[in-house]
Amino acid sequence: MSKNWSSTLRLPKSTLPPRPLPTQHKEYIKKCADDFYKWQAANRPADDTFLLHDGPPYANGSLHAGHALNKILKDIIIRTKVQQGQRVTYVPGWDCHGLPIELKAVSTEEGRTMTPHAIRQAARSLAAKTVLEQMDSFRTYAVMSDWENRWTTMDMAFEINQLRLFQKMVSRGLIYRKFKPVYWSPSSGTALAEAELEYNEAHISKSAYVRFPITKDSARIPGLEGFTGNLYAVIWTTTPWTLPANRAIAVHDDLLYHAVRVGDDAYLVADGGLERVAKVLMGEEGTPEILATVPGSQLTQLQYVNPLQGKSAAPQPFIHGPFVTPDSGSGLVHCAPGHGFDDYLLCKDLGIPVSAPVDNDGIFTEEAYPDDPSRLKGIPVLEGGSAAVLELFKDNVLNVHKYKHKYPYDWRTKKPIIIRATAQWFADVDNIKELALKALEEVKFVPESGRSRLEAFVKGRSEWCISRQRAWGVPIPALYDANGDAVMTEKTIEHIISVIQERGTDAWWSDDPHDPVWIPASLRGKGPFTRGRDTMDVWFDSGSSWTQTDRQADVYLEGSDQHRGWFQSSLLTRVAAMAVQGPTADGTTNAVGLSPFKTLITHGFTLDKAGKKMSKSLGNIISADQVMDGSLLPPLKVKNKDRDPNAPPPKDALGPDALRLWVASSDYTSDIVLGEPVLKTIHQSLTKYRTIIKMLTGSMEQSARAAPLTALDHIALVQLKDAMAEIERHYQNYEFNKAFSSLNRWIANDLSAFYLEALKDRLYCADGGGVLEPIFMGFLRMLAPITPVLVEEAWEHRPAWMKEDPSILHPLHQLYNSPLIDSSRLSYDEAMLRKDIPVLMETHAAIKAASELARRGKVLGSSLGCSVVIKAPKDSKALSVLQKYKDELDAMFVVSSVDLGGAIEGEPAWKYVQDFEMGGHGCQAWVLPPKDHKCPRCWRFVAPAEDSLCVRCEDVVGEGVQ
């Protein structure tokens, strides 16, 4: 009579649900993030701290997957540091000033009729609301932080720190005002920094070849002594709208220039541009007649007339320009110092005046064409300006054509910008550049390529335009006299700061323009003064954020675009404020922690499944919520017959850990793909982790603590130790994707396929011993930085006996390398085991391979349905190692018996062999039919008779089980 043996087995009994319950996410997140941050702040040592300084996200709109990538990377880092025994400080911040928030709070048209104070109130309200919304979203990612003490760049305390920093830079002579060209955005109505630009590779310009008449001194050129026609200089420009501001023509002293006859006239053109310009002057078939050839140095004797300057305008010079090449155009360059950086620098040294007859909206002023101001006044330079200018040039226009090229755009409005001379405030970068570069020598970069990128941006910058013509920002604390000249000293700023501390920053705009309280005593009675209306560049705002901490940050982490943004502005402001004017005596700068960061980590951008960068225009932006709620994956298949057929199928929602595991599994140093194929892999891993935890929580027995440890247990502990060490190295090197791979490799090769498979018989059918508790704790420690919600849930569903033991620490609270098992329980020498494990693993692999052959032959199902014979030379290392563990080999290899070195008796019904090599010796693993009968309880073929229990099971269950 068959008996029911299932009631005698120790089958896993876990309360862990098969899938995470969304209703419990909030509770688990509170415990593993909010409560855990407070716990570590109170329990980790105050003398071993780690500071991660937050790069403030912009308080404008909803979060997307890129925000999640950034915040989760930071969270993984600080969690690993807590595991290493450090107390972490991570206070979140938000960037709240600037044009995008202003424009979102107040439309452009509304803004024209609103006071600056009203604009600021609307922008502040929007930013404050957005900060709270973004913070709530960040917290759903299980990101731990000091949320209550968050900072924003619009906080009074932050603004005062920023003004103090600005004051120090003023005292060091690093801030100045100058009328010079800057990037100007007509669509935003403000100056921009290089970091606020993006480049359109497909911009189309109306380009033109134009001639300027040379005054009657052309006879100075050898070869033109008897020439009686008109001589012209030919220039090519992609911005004809800048011609009203033309003040010189640049040539290169060392280039050769030809005077080319066309009819009765002649044209100057560089030798290298002759072929191009000849086609413009004479058509495809024309052959140019060269009247004279001279070096550029001789052309600087000439002068020319700009027809747009008016009938009474003085002739203008030819000048040497080191940047002039013959590679494009005519080799003669039109110089408008009010609309070009190189032009400005060249003309400034020669005393040539700067003109930029364009207003804040990018529209020509009446100075653009003095003879008839109405012809150009009011025309937008980027929309019709070039055509209007060329119309005034009449016959002097030689050719007009469309030209596709790379052109700077305002990264906020996505519209083209112009270069325009205005009076702006600048920070002197040239003076601190070498110190900044010196400070970077002490910084660790992840990836290392970030070093050269940041260094290149610093090297390529001489000054920083820090003023903006907007209402929503921190004021540049300047006073202006009746002539419009600025007054700004350390003392005047000190006075203005004291008023702001009393009245608030908004009062700078809302107070009466003549309120004397803003004027320091030293200036009273010296004429009327008014407060300036410029605000600071938002990069100066966020770049000042290092003032929120009292020491150098251990890590800054942001996207790779911040090399020219926040990383650079933070470095420059700190160096400007803190550097002694030269390195210390030992040649270093770390005496004051000159760089704001010790380690600089950059990540890439998020891409859709097609590899395209996510953008609103493409409509491919993915939110973090879509990852967490399973929206990007096919719905679950439900077998419940009672389910409402009209209800939508449930989503495969795995919560914040799915989002976090996507981040951890990705190589963040380059751009990261997010889509269904990637998430399917992530969900498979997360489901595997959950299955293992369910098995462990359902199988751990308190009695196992006193059970003897087998060789198999010792091997599992060595494998766990090695996996944890490897994963710890990856965590310390910020290589989270490698940690993820190592973890999955340990699970697949060592835990699932080897230890748990071999342990099941002992676990379910025997004494329930093993090392599941150390494995459970080690597994959760490895998971803790990347899937803390799962760790918290696993801890909630630990066995009752563990809950009753107060000595067992929460896995999030444990030190990563604290002992997992009492060393007194270990009976095997670890060094010996390490030498033996390769032999055991090779043999195991050979047996599995031979077993698979038997399955293909349809003679074997479970591996317990076979016996094994290992053939190896008597003097081989393989045989000597296997002999040590002969009593455990059947359990270790999950077969019913293992014979070493023996012959195969008789002619078995079937046999399969796998050859393998160990230590230079050929070995064989033979898989054969079992020798004995199947035990109906444990299913091993070791019972003396059919339907009878094996000796071990007989001892365990005794008599009378039905």
Side-chain angles (χ1 to χ4, degrees), residues 882-962:
L882 293 172
Q883 288 285 0
K884 288 186 202 174
Y885 306 99
K886 64 181 184 212
D887 293 338
E888 289 191 40
L889 294 180
D890 55 347
M892 194 179 294
F893 298 149
V894 197
V895 295
S896 287
S897 66
V898 177
D899 290 329
L900 298 176
I904 298 173
E905 299 177 3
E907 188 59 38
W910 49 266
K911 58 183 177 180
Y912 293 88
V913 66
Q914 178 67 36
D915 295 327
F916 64 107
E917 186 175 301
M918 284 297 301
H921 293 98
C923 306
Q924 290 181 322
W926 286 88
V927 172
L928 311 166
K931 298 178 181 179
D932 297 309
H933 299 280
K934 182 178 181 179
C935 172
R937 181 173 179 270
C938 69
W939 296 3
R940 295 180 304 155
F941 285 76
V942 290
E946 192 171 345
D947 289 334
S948 65
L949 295 180
C950 66
V951 174
R952 193 272 312 273
C953 287
E954 194 73 59
D955 291 340
V956 171
V957 303
E959 297 293 332
V961 178
Q962 300 299 316

Side-chain angles (χ1 to χ4, degrees), residues 587-658:
T588 68
T589 56
N590 60 7
V592 291
L594 203 53
S595 167
F597 36 77
K598 296 177 184 176
T599 297
L600 189 66
I601 304 174
T602 51
H603 62 76
F605 297 98
T606 50
L607 310 176
D608 66 15
K609 62 183 179 182
K612 294 180 180 178
K613 186 177 176 181
M614 294 185 191
S615 69
K616 290 180 181 178
S617 60
L618 291 177
N620 63 346
I621 288 180
I622 295 174
S623 73
D625 289 344
Q626 289 175 284
V627 178
M628 294 190 290
D629 67 17
S631 297
L632 301 177
L633 292 174
L636 292 171
K637 295 178 180 178
V638 181
K639 298 178 181 178
N640 188 352
K641 295 180 181 178
D642 298 327
R643 184 177 170 275
D644 181 359
N646 297 316
K651 297 176 181 178
D652 191 9
L654 292 181
D657 283 333

Side-chain angles (χ1 to χ4, degrees), residues 187 337 401 653 763 827 863 915 955:
S187 56
H401 55 280
L763 203 58
S827 56
S863 60
D915 295 327
D955 291 340

Side-chain angles (χ1 to χ4, degrees), residues 255-448:
L255 292 180
L256 290 178
Y257 289 83
H258 303 301
V260 180
R261 182 190 293 276
V262 179
D264 294 332
D265 301 323
Y267 294 82
L268 292 176
V269 58
D271 178 63
L274 180 58
E275 185 177 344
R276 279 189 303 273
V277 178
K279 291 178 182 179
V280 172
L281 296 174
M282 310 173 71
E284 293 290 337
E285 304 300 326
T287 302
E289 178 188 351
I290 298 175
L291 300 179
T293 300
V294 295
S297 57
Q298 288 199 313
L299 298 185
T300 56
Q301 306 172 55
L302 303 179
Q303 291 183 313
Y304 70 100
V305 174
N306 181 352
L308 300 182
Q309 289 296 304
K311 295 170 183 174
S312 60
Q316 298 182 170
F318 285 77
I319 58 178
H320 166 65
F323 52 79
V324 176
T325 73
D327 298 336
S328 62
S330 64
L332 294 91
V333 176
H334 136 65
C335 288
H339 294 300
F341 300 126
D342 290 337
D343 301 9
Y344 170 80
L345 294 173
L346 184 62
C347 293
K348 174 189 168 203
D349 293 339
L350 298 172
I352 296 172
V354 177
S355 170
V358 180
D359 69 12
N360 289 355
D361 294 321
I363 293 172
F364 278 128
T365 64
E366 59 186 14
E367 289 83 13
Y369 190 43
D371 283 356
D372 187 357
S374 63
R375 296 289 299 276
L376 291 181
K377 183 182 178 182
I379 297 175
V381 298
L382 292 174
E383 299 172 17
S386 288
V389 167
L390 292 174
E391 186 177 328
L392 293 176
F393 260 79
K394 301 177 181 175
D395 293 342
N396 289 316
V397 178
L398 303 174
N399 174 270
V400 179
H401 55 280
K402 292 182 178 179
Y403 180 67
K404 180 180 176 180
H405 63 125
K406 180 179 177 181
Y407 192 87
Y409 275 53
D410 182 330
W411 74 342
R412 297 185 180 97
T413 63
K414 309 302 181 186
K415 293 183 178 180
I417 61 99
I418 61 176
I419 295 173
R420 169 183 177 240
T422 61
Q424 298 290 341
W425 291 97
F426 296 87
D428 183 355
V429 177
D430 239 0
N431 197 44
I432 59 173
K433 186 184 300 185
E434 291 306 315
L435 280 170
L437 292 170
K438 185 73 177 175
L440 291 181
E441 293 176 6
E442 299 153 14
V443 174
K444 176 182 177 181
F445 284 78
V446 179
E448 179 60 30

Side-chain angles (χ1 to χ4, degrees), residues 174-185:
L174 296 174
I175 303 294
Y176 54 86
R177 190 168 185 253
K178 189 186 293 185
F179 183 80
K180 61 168 291 184
V182 295
Y183 295 114
W184 185 271
S185 172

